[in-house]
Amino acid sequence: EPEVTQTPSHQVTQMGQEVILRCVPISNHLYFYWYRQILGQKVEFLVSFYNNEISEKSEIFDDQFSVERPDGSNFTLKIRSTKLEDSAMYFCASSEGYRFTEAFFGQGTRLTVV
Amino acid sequence: QKEVEQNSGPLSVPEGAIASLNCTYSDRGSQSFFWYRQYSGKSPELIMFIYSNGDKEDGRFTAQLNKASQYVSLLIRDSQPSDSATYLCAVNPSNSGNTPLVFGKGTRLSVIA
């Protein structure tokens, strides 16, 4: 069964460092998303990506964040100058994109900023 | 501000009973509704989705939607200890697959053997 794959599963970084979280969406999907979930909190939308550009972003997704699809299969989230409050599970999701479609989530990357 | 509200629980039911999970949403124009199951430390796993008023059944799961009341529920029949997890209600506010899902905080279900 096709699945969304994320690497690494766990990333520990020092405050102020840059991290790149990687995702391989399901191959025939057209829409890609990053969500995050701070421990004990709800899943929050960060950004959606379609046709090689950002289609929507939340207020969380400020200049510290960027996304890229560098090679047609990978989908990356870069966080510059990480802060302690960036510690969370980051989930990549993809969907086929037609009406009423469901999004499938990767297993997540646990980011710990120390 | 689009909101999705769920009772955080925990909801405790005995094994074999019916678990009833409820969700309300604020955006009356919302089009499709999803139930995800999330085990602790894991990613959300899609259980089912619904977009028409009424009931939709899939195995032991039944989703119920009432757009007039802005209410969606999930029934789990013959609950098993393995059903113990947090259940997330998510809403797609439009017809477009491009629109991000809005999640509730989830209801923690505990099935007691």
Side-chain angles (χ1 to χ4, degrees), chain A residues 31 33 35 37 40-45 48-50 55-56 59 89 91 95 97-108 110, chain B residues 1 3-5 31-32 34 36 38 41-46 49 51 88 92 94-106:
Chain A
Y31 294 91
Y33 312 84
Y35 289 83
Q37 187 176 32
Q41 303 298 313
K42 66 171 66 176
V43 175
E44 300 175 291
F45 167 72
S48 60
F49 193 85
Y50 169 71
S55 47
E56 193 165 341
E59 61 273 12
M89 282 287 283
F91 295 111
S95 66
Y98 56 83
R99 198 174 179 211
F100 304 132
T101 191
E102 62 268 30
F104 292 90
F105 284 77
Q107 78 278 20
R110 179 173 298 282
Chain B
Q1 183 81 352
E3 298 286 343
V4 176
E5 299 292 339
Q31 295 293 322
S32 49
F34 303 83
Y36 286 84
Q38 187 177 33
K42 302 296 184 183
S43 63
E45 174 193 4
L46 181 70
F49 65 92
Y51 50 83
L88 308 178
N92 185 329
S94 81
N95 275 356
S96 168
N98 194 29
T99 306
L101 298 178
V102 179
F103 282 84
K105 203 170 178 181

